[in-house]
Amino acid sequence: MTSSKTNGNLPDLDLGWMDQHGPWDTHAEPGKYGFTLADIQIGEYGQVPEESNNQTGRPRGSKPRANSMRLGGYTVRTKSDIWLENASFLYEEALQRQWSSATDVPWESIKPLPDDVEQAQCQMATFLTEVEFVAGDVPARWISSTTPDYFEARQVLLAQVMDESRHMDVFRKRALANGGGLMRATGATAGFVGGIDLSRDFTEMSSRLHISGEGAVLTIFRMGELMAYNDAEKTIYRLCAQDEARHVAFGVMHLRYMSQNEPDRREEIHSYLDEAEGSMLTDAANPAGRLTQTSESLCILLGGGSDKFDEGFRKLVAIRRRQLQEYRKRVISAGFGDRFDNGRSRLNELMAQAAA
Amino acid sequence: MASEFTFPSLDWLQAVREVFNTTDMYRGAGSGRCDCVVGLKIEGAVFIVEFEGFGCTGVRQANEAELENVDFYLDMPYELWKSMLENISANNHAIGEFTLNTLDLGMEQGIAHSKHEDQYRQDLFVRYNQTMQFFFDASHRISTTFEEIVAS
Ligand SMILES: [Fe+2]
Ligand SMILES: [Fe+2]
């Protein structure tokens, strides 16, 4: 405040800012789920521009300020590049379904395990810690490149970064909790996973990260319950799977929006999916793929020891098939199912290779 | 609880719903906002369980055709339903092979299905898995008797 003069008992204030505002007389009200982002999408404040010229970090709906400098260098300024219909819903869901790896996992239920099982568990934990770094870092980069006008989508990604941070810490904790430790890094962040970060476009990144990468990891998290040896591991995998399903849901809904609103980009998106299918079983990113470090440890965990490797391998094949089937149905749900009818997809070939 | 409820029946589901909606621990970690419509197929009987916000908003008896409209439905042999509920009753919550997710993975075709084949909606089984688990875990607080069903 610049003025310290007084006029009688009233301070002499410059109140010019009071007339500077966005639409006034706004009465947003809480709905049945509390006061959610959806409840404040009203009037002009709820209007999301198809293109955004906002380069100054101005909150959507606020009054622009003169002479403001550029902030952020936002490259994502076209709505369809990042939008999804249910962003505010996913964001609230993410906030309300948070959990703590410190207090919500019954760590005391972890008891000493046979050496081979502990080593396999630690190998998986090492792998997952590695990939969770990428799962957090990559969306984070895109958040800072997106105009504040599309804040609903940004908020979901911000919540995802928090989820990935928790996933990273919970698997690290598991590795260090039971007489083992971290194993040799798997290099899972090279190849396809590393490639996610080379994406030139948000949708390219999302199709790689949310649909292919996290879709595969979601199946692994679900399978985690089959390879859990105590309540703590069961809880970790179940709660991680819930988070992961939300991340996958973002990808499916974004691709669906894209397929409905940008038909000209369909061919480009099919090419991202071609690429993902090409490396689904061979890349180190998929622990159920063919990299021995992770696939062997999965088989030991699923079978119940190295002497029951064959039993574990049988379950691993079932995991691979489920990964592929679920991927197929998600791509259909996202609006790109034509690839399975016109012979473009390699999925049938991959199904046949799943048992190799 | 003094009364006994027969599984499967609408009364049983209403009693479970009451426990689920009024017990603090089912608002705990991994729960939270959950919006979905779930079908249960138990031998010949079909039930619909609706979740909205933080609770289970309704349970009702339905018919097979209504399973077209649910996000996903759970279907498993009666003996497995029974073993799952007995496991929950003995441990106050499902453990080992009797959690919903493990049951789903343990069977070739799974226990969670959909008629619409939309994976986005079927993924809600995973996205809200802990909520579903809490719902069935709540059954440990009621006394369940099992209808004798002869396998056909
Ligand atoms: Fe993650
Ligand atoms: Fe994720």
Side-chain angles (χ1 to χ4, degrees):
Chain A
M1 201 114 358
T2 51
S3 173
S4 58
K5 289 184 294 183
T6 55
N7 180 4
N9 288 330
L10 291 173
D12 183 12
L13 302 173
D14 170 14
L15 298 177
W17 55 270
M18 281 191 160
D19 296 326
Q20 309 281 319
H21 51 67
W24 206 243
D25 202 26
T26 313
H27 299 275
E29 283 179 13
K32 58 184 172 183
Y33 303 126
F35 203 13
T36 68
L37 273 190
D39 298 317
I40 57 166
Q41 280 168 334
I42 52 174
E44 270 183 53
Y45 292 104
Q47 285 167 16
V48 183
E50 293 299 322
E51 302 288 336
S52 166
N53 290 322
N54 183 349
Q55 291 277 28
T56 62
R58 180 175 64 84
R60 195 177 75 210
S62 66
K63 190 172 171 67
R65 133 187 113 83
N67 306 322
S68 52
M69 62 183 173
R70 284 194 164 204
L71 279 179
Y74 309 120
T75 53
V76 181
R77 287 184 286 120
T78 299
K79 184 182 176 189
S80 61
D81 282 355
I82 195 166
W83 200 249
L84 64 163
E85 285 299 353
N86 62 344
S88 50
F89 183 94
L90 280 179
Y91 172 65
E92 299 288 350
E93 182 180 311
L95 288 197
Q96 291 168 7
R97 297 184 78 86
Q98 292 293 304
W99 51 281
S100 158
S101 65
T103 54
D104 294 324
V105 174
W107 292 106
E108 69 287 352
S109 68
I110 298 188
K111 301 284 185 275
L113 291 166
D115 286 350
D116 57 347
V117 173
E118 181 62 27
Q119 279 165 346
Q121 202 71 261
C122 287
Q123 182 63 70
M124 279 312 297
T126 305
F127 165 82
L128 289 167
T129 304
E130 266 178 281
V131 297
E132 297 298 350
F133 272 106
V134 177
D137 289 358
V138 177
R141 223 187 286 292
W142 285 92
I143 294 165
S144 62
S145 297
T146 301
T147 166
D149 284 348
Y150 306 144
F151 71 88
E152 290 94 338
R154 286 172 55 128
Q155 305 279 86
V156 187
L157 295 170
L158 281 162
Q160 175 177 352
V161 173
M162 182 63 233
D163 292 342
E164 307 300 7
S165 163
R166 182 173 50 243
H167 297 177
M168 190 278 288
D169 87 49
V170 79
F171 289 109
R172 189 175 179 87
K173 284 174 183 171
R174 170 58 194 91
L176 304 187
N178 197 30
L182 289 165
M183 305 287 283
R184 182 164 63 93
T186 62
T189 46
F192 184 79
V193 170
I196 296 172
D197 205 15
L198 298 176
S199 305
R200 291 138 295 186
D201 170 85
F202 181 84
T203 305
E204 180 181 9
M205 185 285 287
S206 176
S207 64
R208 289 176 175 176
L209 177 72
H210 296 123
I211 304 283
S212 326
E214 297 191 286
V217 170
L218 174 58
T219 317
I220 299 300
F221 283 163
R222 293 195 58 203
M223 289 288 166
E225 276 207 54
L226 279 187
M227 55 195 188
Y229 286 78
N230 44 63
D231 247 12
E233 289 163 4
K234 251 178 152 28
T235 305
I236 291 169
Y237 281 116
R238 187 187 311 136
L239 296 182
C240 284
Q242 291 199 141
D243 296 340
E244 208 65 5
R246 229 171 19 244
H247 308 161
V248 171
F250 181 104
V252 172
M253 293 308 278
H254 171 57
L255 271 196
R256 192 185 286 181
Y257 188 86
M258 185 57 104
S259 89
Q260 289 165 351
N261 292 278
E262 296 285 346
D264 290 350
R265 291 192 61 186
R266 289 181 59 82
E267 172 56 28
E268 171 201 338
I269 288 157
H270 273 302
S271 74
Y272 304 145
L273 298 171
D274 292 343
E275 183 190 50
E277 289 175 13
S279 53
M280 233 167 216
L281 288 180
T282 50
D283 198 90
N286 181 2
R290 299 214 184 85
L291 181 75
T292 50
Q293 216 173 336
T294 46
S295 63
E296 281 186 8
S297 57
L298 268 179
C299 290
I300 289 171
L301 292 171
L302 289 166
S306 16
D307 55 331
K308 301 189 191 73
F309 188 89
D310 290 349
E311 166 65 12
F313 183 71
R314 202 180 51 74
K315 290 183 180 170
L316 181 74
V317 170
I319 292 179
R320 286 177 179 165
R321 293 215 165 103
R322 243 188 215 243
Q323 276 180 331
L324 297 170
Q325 281 159 353
E326 289 178 0
Y327 161 81
R328 177 177 173 277
K329 290 204 277 182
R330 285 188 196 110
V331 169
I332 294 172
S333 181
F336 292 86
D338 49 326
R339 62 188 290 107
F340 303 113
D341 300 326
N342 62 19
R344 178 166 186 159
S345 169
R346 291 185 54 202
L347 213 65
N348 286 341
E349 198 187 315
L350 295 174
M351 277 289 190
Q353 291 168 7
Chain B
M1 226 167 267
S3 356
E4 291 204 329
F5 297 92
T6 304
F7 177 88
S9 68
L10 191 57
D11 285 348
W12 184 88
L13 278 167
Q14 267 158 351
V16 171
R17 176 184 166 233
E18 179 67 19
V19 176
F20 172 77
N21 280 344
T22 55
T23 307
D24 279 351
M25 73 178 272
Y26 301 134
R27 309 271 94 61
S31 73
R33 180 170 176 165
C34 168
D35 282 37
C36 66
V37 181
V38 182
L40 306 178
K41 201 173 162 189
I42 308 161
E43 287 294 316
V46 171
F47 300 93
I48 307 280
V49 184
E50 294 186 37
F51 295 88
E52 207 180 332
F54 302 97
C56 173
T57 47
V59 291
R60 62 189 169 85
Q61 191 128 23
N63 57 47
E64 178 85 22
E66 286 179 80
L67 292 179
E68 302 274 350
N69 305 322
V70 300
D71 290 310
F72 61 88
Y73 64 93
L74 303 178
D75 182 10
M76 56 181 149
Y78 179 74
E79 278 310 310
L80 212 47
W81 280 108
K82 189 175 175 205
S83 304
M84 177 186 89
L85 295 174
E86 285 170 344
N87 176 276
I88 287 169
S89 175
N91 303 290
N92 296 343
H93 64 276
I95 64 165
E97 66 200 276
F98 290 105
T99 61
L100 291 170
N101 185 34
T102 309
L103 286 167
D104 185 56
L105 298 170
M107 293 173 70
E108 180 81 17
Q109 295 306 320
I111 63 167
H113 307 270
S114 66
K115 305 264 187 195
H116 48 65
E117 289 280 298
D118 179 348
Q119 190 65 32
Y120 175 82
R121 292 175 69 192
Q122 200 172 325
D123 278 343
L124 296 178
F125 172 66
V126 186
R127 218 164 103 194
Y128 300 140
N129 196 266
Q130 184 64 64
T131 302
M132 300 300 126
Q133 192 60 63
F134 280 153
F135 182 82
F136 285 101
D137 285 352
S139 70
H140 87 268
R141 298 267 301 275
I142 66 169
S143 174
T144 302
T145 57
F146 292 94
E147 197 175 280
E148 273 319 310
I149 289 180
V150 182
S152 52

